[in-house]
């Protein structure tokens, strides 16, 4: 992508988001859920600084990544529900 935008794949769907933001911010901007708890409740970022672990997603095949701590990059794959 050119300019200040990058293209990610979120749950198998290509999306364009602003560059230089966290994965958590990108997902919030897309209004996509982060993940569900074992009981089925939706989870999302709570603290925004990596302490609460509520925003965990799979990034490029690596599980349990804190979305608020990772900056988006072109061609990144993000999966929100395992």
């Amino acid at each position: 992508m050119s300019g200040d935008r990058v293209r990610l794949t979120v749950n198998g769907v290509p999306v364009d988001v602003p560059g230089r933001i966290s994965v958590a911010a990108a997902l919030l901007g897309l209004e996509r859920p982060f993940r569900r708890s074992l009981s089925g409740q939706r989870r999302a970022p709570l603290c925004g600084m990596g302490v609460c672990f509520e925003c965990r997603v799979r990034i490029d095949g690596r599980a349990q990544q804190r979305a608020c701590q990772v900056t988006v990059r072109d061609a990144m794959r993000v999966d929100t529900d395992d």
Side-chain angles (χ1 to χ4, degrees):
M1 298 281 334
S2 62
D4 290 330
R5 305 212 36 104
V6 297
R7 177 162 286 183
L8 316 176
T9 302
V10 178
N11 296 332
V13 178
V15 295
D16 295 332
V17 299
R20 297 186 297 270
I21 63 173
S22 70
V23 171
L27 292 172
L28 284 170
L30 295 170
E31 299 181 5
R32 304 279 173 111
F34 280 76
R35 64 185 185 92
R36 293 188 184 274
S37 68
L38 291 175
S39 64
Q41 295 176 323
R42 289 188 177 207
R43 310 311 292 173
L46 201 55
C47 69
M49 59 185 180
V51 176
C52 72
F53 288 79
E54 291 296 319
C55 65
R56 289 174 293 166
V57 296
R58 181 179 298 272
I59 298 175
D60 293 329
R62 291 186 63 212
Q64 307 296 320
Q65 299 299 299
R66 290 173 284 176
C68 68
Q69 297 295 294
V70 179
T71 303
V72 296
R73 66 181 179 285
D74 206 35
M76 178 182 274
R77 291 183 342 261
V78 179
D79 294 300
T80 60
D81 273 331
D82 285 340

